[in-house]
Amino acid sequence: MGSWSQPTADDLALLGSLAGHPGNLMYFFDRLDNPLWVGALREKGFFETLPEPVEESGGSIRYPPWPEGRYLARMASTASEQVCSVLKDVGLSQSPLVTRLCFEAAAGLPDEQLQHLAHKVREWVKAPGANRFSEEAATVLSRLLQMGKVAAADKAAGVLLSVKERPPSGDQTFMSSRPEAIGRFSVWRYRRVVEGVLPALADHAGLKGVKLLSRLLGKAIQIERMEGEDPDCDGHAFVWRPAIEEHSQNNDHGVKDVLVSAVRDASVAFAQKGESELRETISYLESRSVLYRRVALHVLSVVPYGSSLAAERISNRDLFDDGRVRHEYASLVRARFGEMPVEVQESFLGWIDEGPDLEPFRQRVASMQSSSKGQHEDAYVGVWQLDRLSFVESYLVGVTAERYQNLVAKFGEPEHADLPFWSQVRQGTLSPLSQDEMSRMTPLNVVEYLRTWCPPSSQSWKSENSKRGLGLVFRTVAKQRIGEFVPLSNQIASLGPIYVGNFLGALRAASEEGVSIAWTEPVQLMTLVVEHPFLVNDETQDIDRETDWTWARRDVAWLLSSGLSSGPNRIPFALRKDIWQLLERLTRDPDPSVAQEAKRGDDLDPHSLSHNSNRGTAMNAVVEYALWCRRELEAQGEDVTLGLDLMPEVRSVLERHLDPSTEPSHAVRAVYGQWLPWLLLLDEHWTVSNVPRIFSAPPSSVDLAETAWTTYIGSCQPYDSAFRSLRSQYEAAIDRIPSSSTFGMSPGKSVDVSLGEHLAALYWRGVISAPLLDRFFRRADDNLASTVMEYIGRALMNSDGDLPPSFARRIRELWNRRLETILSNPKAHVQEGKMFSFTFAAAKLDEDWELSSLERTVQGGFGNRWIAHSAVERLVRIATARPVTVTRLALQLLKTSENEWAHLDWEDDIRSILDSTQGSSQAEAVENRREIVDYYIRRGIFAFRNLL
């Protein structure tokens, strides 16, 4: 074919006859290398029909090949003008294979032709299946940036790198869960795309590139931010990203971690262009939240000019004291302290001389029963000063240098002085044996070594080699070779609680990973553990495990919970009697005592404490045991509807620990709340009859009842059967609104919010009727109501496929009622009115109704930039089909925004709306477009002129 010249009419006719034979057509195009055919084929319409995805039986999707596209990609460099013309006119396909070939063809074009395809690149990037063409898209975007097509490439990059919330998996599709930000493709590919685009973005987009990446990062953090978190802390980024630069302490947190590095690199690249660019970069970053302010400090530490900017920040006492920015502040000081004016240096050293604020430290040690509190305080001050002097160690001279060396001699070299949080694998330093060394020993030799090794009689305050460190190494090695160590269980039992507890932990880890375990000997070992006498010592420190078997007994309970699972490696049912004897003994463990629970309650809520105390963990395992019995008995043909009659031992323990005079522990009462739906499964009659004892109580034990309810509503899904049994408790909880109860670790989630989410889910499923939910909203304030309505919207956004019609109808009816209330008194429902944005963005109900309702909220004064972000994204998608409504809504959002800079955040989306509606001849759409353009031009955005 390489010798062919311009195709003749007969050639094209012959090719047309092959159209009904896909295999022949594919054979032809895959071997065609004559560039002169491109124009002729285009005239005959060969590139107009694109292959679309085909749904196969069983629900799978097949993507047919596009051989014409492969031919175009090969001809891009030799027939560039003709290929460019084809690509200009090629339609959009739902097949990622077609889009990928479009990108490949575009990438092969010379710059002169590629620049004419900028608008098509934006369209292609939005196509589904971005993971199939992400790197090809990155290549094209980089070239557009290099050619100066910054606006088009920046917009396309924003789409390609967009982030969204990961929908929940499994049966919880319609329920919200802990949010996670994800990209349009895997984190690995996302990182490769960012790395591909970043050099060109940094070199040619300048500050606009920094802003684009910052917006993406901000959205990722917003998605993952939990209720009640301070927006300025960026999801505690100083914990998961302790260093802005690449650092061994940084934890890989997916897309947002990639974006932190991208913002950093783009900022440095732009700032290095000159003094004015540096000032622009710092000004922009410091106008945002703390994570970006840390990036600003990093930029100043690596860019070689801007000395005055560095001096202003080094002499800022707030930065000196802010632990969240300590690492980047320290890096700036280390890099530039020598060039600082004398007064800045003296100010910094003077703060160190003053020492830390001791009040927080004194509060932490106030409860210590020790006569050496003063020594603790002196050591705290010394280490604090040592750490901060280490920032400027290389600049110290004279008396200050001598002072620093004296502190080093006293406290040792500073470790991670500039990191407020760090993790460290200490096995190499805290254990006399490394993991590799122990792995080479026989199990018998390991056990003997554990039996005979003793730590040095005198150790430094850093505590290098210890039984705890050796026990952690033993845990790892035993898990890897669990089958070899199980036969030695009886010998391990004599080693002491540290090593026994770690062996039980190794058994648990192996069990949870599906490793088959011979359970007889481990059960014997656990029996020996629980036979050790209980020690009741509320002053015992958690780290003191050399003689106290408290922690080892907790390891027994944890192991039993794991072994009583439904997995193939579960404990054999033949050991039922032995297992129960263990559990029954553990349910009498004195941990937690009333004093312990009161003390530990400052750190752990009752639900968390139930999994971190011996008796609480044992009671959790009792329910696991009951479920284990039910499964095994059902497999043997027993009538499991007899419930606890088949396991009276469980009933006896459950009833005993429901008596407040016998069981005052909130951790134990939390177990009943957490497992309530499963107790109903085990024995509905027993559970329903005991609901008053679990959730209602005389005045002397009302707190226990509240603990049970708080744990239930906070940890359980809204099961229909549970609601039917607890309707009166739900109604009583509504009457208690507003309550101050929370669930989970501090600050915890509001119980009122959890109650609202339960009621909303029960309502949309048709379990409860409108009056009960409306009763909740009459009690709720604006913040509570808005949180619940946001939950409904997010649940819709996270649901796959179409909703059942009855679900959709009830949610529409609820919103109709809420909007009537909201719009009748907008000032009392400022937050709730904004929440329709989520429901609108989900696009799950009825488009006409959604648009009408959105317009009602916008006209009601709720069109600020927060609601508009979600709303405009949806409007962009439907603009072509509904030009009048969408342009009218976009204009209303602009006019009713609560600030004068909201239009900047919406600029890209508004441009998309104007692009999509450009072909509309409807008078209202034309006028709306004119007003939108005028709105931007009046605010200095003159580039909008070409959109008229």
Side-chain angles (χ1 to χ4, degrees), residues 377-693:
E377 190 170 295
D378 291 342
Y380 174 73
V381 173
V383 172
W384 185 93
Q385 292 175 327
L386 169 66
D387 286 347
R388 282 146 186 82
L389 283 173
S390 72
F391 301 169
V392 291
E393 175 189 1
S394 61
Y395 304 102
L396 298 178
V397 295
V399 174
T400 308
E402 182 179 351
R403 178 187 175 197
Y404 176 73
Q405 292 303 322
N406 289 337
L407 288 171
V408 171
K410 184 175 182 180
F411 298 108
E413 292 287 347
E415 297 180 1
H416 305 289
D418 55 352
L419 291 176
F421 297 94
W422 72 88
S423 60
Q424 186 172 12
V425 178
R426 302 295 301 272
Q427 294 178 358
T429 57
L430 289 182
S431 172
L433 283 180
S434 69
Q435 181 178 327
D436 288 341
E437 289 171 334
M438 187 179 289
S439 295
R440 291 193 293 268
M441 298 169 64
T442 67
L444 276 173
N445 286 342
V446 170
V447 172
E448 185 59 26
Y449 186 91
L450 298 177
R451 189 189 315 282
T452 58
W453 183 83
C454 292
S457 58
S458 175
Q459 293 192 6
S460 73
W461 68 285
K462 293 183 181 180
S463 185
E464 295 178 357
N465 291 334
S466 68
K467 288 187 176 181
R468 293 190 70 200
L470 183 58
L472 291 173
V473 174
F474 173 52
R475 184 192 192 105
T476 301
V477 173
K479 176 199 164 190
Q480 294 172 347
R481 302 165 60 187
I482 199 68
E484 299 176 56
F485 280 93
V486 163
L488 302 179
S489 296
N490 287 336
Q491 296 182 49
I492 292 171
S494 65
L495 293 178
I498 288 180
Y499 301 132
V500 170
N502 277 292
F503 180 62
L504 293 170
L507 282 164
R508 178 188 174 201
S511 171
E512 290 176 349
E513 291 184 5
V515 178
S516 180
I517 294 173
W519 284 99
T520 301
E521 289 167 309
V523 169
Q524 293 172 357
L525 168 62
M526 288 187 278
T527 301
L528 294 173
V529 170
V530 301
E531 287 177 352
H532 284 279
F534 295 130
L535 297 178
V536 182
N537 182 4
D538 293 338
E539 299 302 324
T540 297
Q541 298 296 312
D542 285 346
I543 62 173
D544 182 14
R545 305 186 191 179
E546 289 204 22
T547 58
D548 187 357
W549 288 87
T550 298
W551 278 80
R553 282 195 293 274
R554 194 172 309 164
D555 286 316
V556 169
W558 283 336
L559 176 56
L560 288 175
S561 290
S562 175
L564 293 170
S565 69
S566 58
N569 58 335
R570 63 188 178 277
I571 298 172
F573 196 53
L575 296 174
R576 174 182 178 179
K577 181 178 179 180
D578 299 310
I579 297 302
W580 181 252
Q581 288 177 347
L582 284 169
L583 279 176
E584 202 281 333
R585 170 82 166 156
L586 287 171
T587 61
R588 299 178 185 274
D589 194 298
D591 174 53
S593 66
V594 173
Q596 285 174 324
E597 190 160 284
K599 182 178 180 180
R600 295 165 70 184
D602 294 336
D603 302 316
L604 299 175
D605 65 297
H607 175 254
S608 300
L609 189 57
S610 75
H611 295 277
N612 290 278
S613 61
N614 287 13
R615 201 163 66 259
T617 307
M619 289 298 293
N620 279 291
V622 165
V623 183
E624 297 271 18
Y625 167 88
L627 293 168
W628 174 66
C629 289
R630 187 182 191 276
R631 287 191 298 269
E632 299 290 345
L633 291 170
E634 188 174 28
Q636 295 177 8
E638 294 282 354
D639 181 7
V640 294
T641 61
L642 296 174
L644 295 182
D645 287 343
L646 296 174
M647 48 195 95
E649 67 274 25
V650 172
R651 179 170 53 208
S652 176
V653 164
L654 291 175
E655 292 178 350
R656 182 171 76 238
H657 290 273
L658 270 178
D659 183 351
S661 63
T662 300
E663 181 55 86
S665 169
H666 287 264
V668 172
R669 185 56 65 97
V671 173
Y672 293 86
Q674 175 190 344
W675 290 100
L676 193 281
W678 288 268
L679 292 174
L680 285 166
L681 171 68
L682 287 165
D683 194 321
E684 183 174 0
H685 175 75
W686 181 90
T687 304
V688 171
S689 64
N690 279 280
V691 159
R693 298 182 65 191

Side-chain angles (χ1 to χ4, degrees), residues 897-942:
S897 61
E898 65 182 8
N899 55 60
E900 260 301 305
W901 58 89
H903 65 281
L904 297 176
D905 289 339
W906 307 336
E907 182 178 341
D908 289 345
D909 289 325
I910 296 294
R911 282 179 180 274
S912 295
I913 288 174
L914 293 176
D915 285 342
S916 299
T917 58
Q918 195 163 14
S920 175
S921 59
Q922 298 180 64
E924 184 179 349
V926 172
E927 178 60 21
N928 291 338
R929 285 170 45 79
R930 188 196 63 75
E931 288 194 48
I932 291 171
V933 171
D934 184 61
Y935 183 95
Y936 276 92
I937 291 175
R938 283 188 285 109
R939 285 159 178 77
I941 315 297
F942 299 113

